[in-house]
Amino acid sequence: MAKAITVTCKNPGETFNLGIGLGEILAGGDVVTLQGELGAGKTWFTKGIAHGLGITDTNAVTSPSFTIINEYQGRLPLFHMDFYRLENKEAASDLGLEEYLYGQGVTVIEWPERLAGIIPAGRLEVRFIFSAEDKREIELIPHGKDWEERIAKIAENLVL
Ligand code: ADP
Ligand code: MG
């Protein structure tokens, strides 16, 4: 099994910085899934990814719960999805997700559990675990592509 890496982020800023490190190395077609309870930090992390992709207005990056998909333009297009409110998989098939998931942009998905079966096998899985009020354990789990080498590089360059 590929090697996962766990990073402890002691405050939202550290979670943001970890997201920047990822955003800087993302390539077109990459898919990143974010799992964790409400308030775990998935959207904070996505703001960091956006910053790392050169999207300057990261305040604009909010949970797309009501719209399901938000799109931002940086060094690459960023598609930020949140399926928390998705009713069923049939509703997902109406969204034309393949166009995003297999396109030239980067796709970041909150609540991928709601989409099981539709998510590409090659992806970076990120899991957020509450360890204290302001502290989160963030686990990076590589699936295919060259994710194992890439997360090792992120961890190496990480300054928290
Ligand atoms: P999610 O998208 O997972 O529902 P958000 O990123 O929207 O969560 O919210 C996370 C909340 O937790 C924010 O209010 C943030 O300030 C707070 N928080 C506290 N500590 C952290 C941390 N280490 N990383 C990320 N968010 C944190
Ligand atoms: Mg969110």
Side-chain angles (χ1 to χ4, degrees):
M1 213 177 97
K3 207 161 162 267
I5 291 175
T6 301
V7 179
T8 301
C9 292
K10 296 188 292 296
N11 52 59
E14 292 194 351
T15 300
F16 185 83
N17 282 344
L18 180 61
I20 292 178
L22 173 57
E24 285 174 347
I25 60 118
L26 284 171
D30 281 342
V31 176
V32 180
T33 58
L34 311 180
Q35 273 173 270
E37 294 167 48
L38 281 178
K42 302 181 294 297
T43 299
W44 259 97
F45 184 73
T46 307
K47 285 174 190 282
I49 292 176
H51 189 88
L53 281 167
I55 295 158
T56 44
D57 185 13
T58 55
N59 283 328
V61 179
T62 54
S63 247
S65 291
F66 295 97
T67 46
I68 300 191
I69 303 173
N70 282 339
E71 184 174 344
Y72 307 95
Q73 188 62 51
R75 170 170 68 76
L76 295 165
L78 168 63
F79 306 117
H80 180 203
M81 306 181 181
D82 184 328
F83 294 106
Y84 184 62
R85 284 167 209 281
L86 190 75
E87 299 288 333
N88 53 48
K89 277 190 213 156
E90 287 68 49
S93 64
D94 292 340
L95 295 169
L97 293 178
E98 290 76 9
E99 204 183 308
Y100 299 101
L101 294 169
Y102 298 98
Q104 291 312 300
V106 167
T107 307
V108 174
I109 307 175
E110 299 191 36
W111 297 96
E113 305 91 312
R114 306 268 202 270
L115 277 191
I118 300 174
I119 311 264
R123 68 183 161 115
L124 177 64
E125 175 184 354
V126 185
R127 289 177 177 264
F128 296 75
I129 298 145
F130 282 81
S131 46
E133 176 77 25
D134 284 337
K135 210 165 146 189
R136 307 286 187 270
E137 305 298 329
I138 301 180
E139 195 179 7
L140 307 173
I141 307 164
H143 295 282
K145 284 187 147 183
D146 48 356
W147 276 118
E148 188 170 347
E149 295 78 50
R150 290 158 82 191
I151 60 171
K153 196 164 283 172
I154 293 168
E156 208 177 277
N157 294 333
L158 192 62
V159 185
L160 292 186

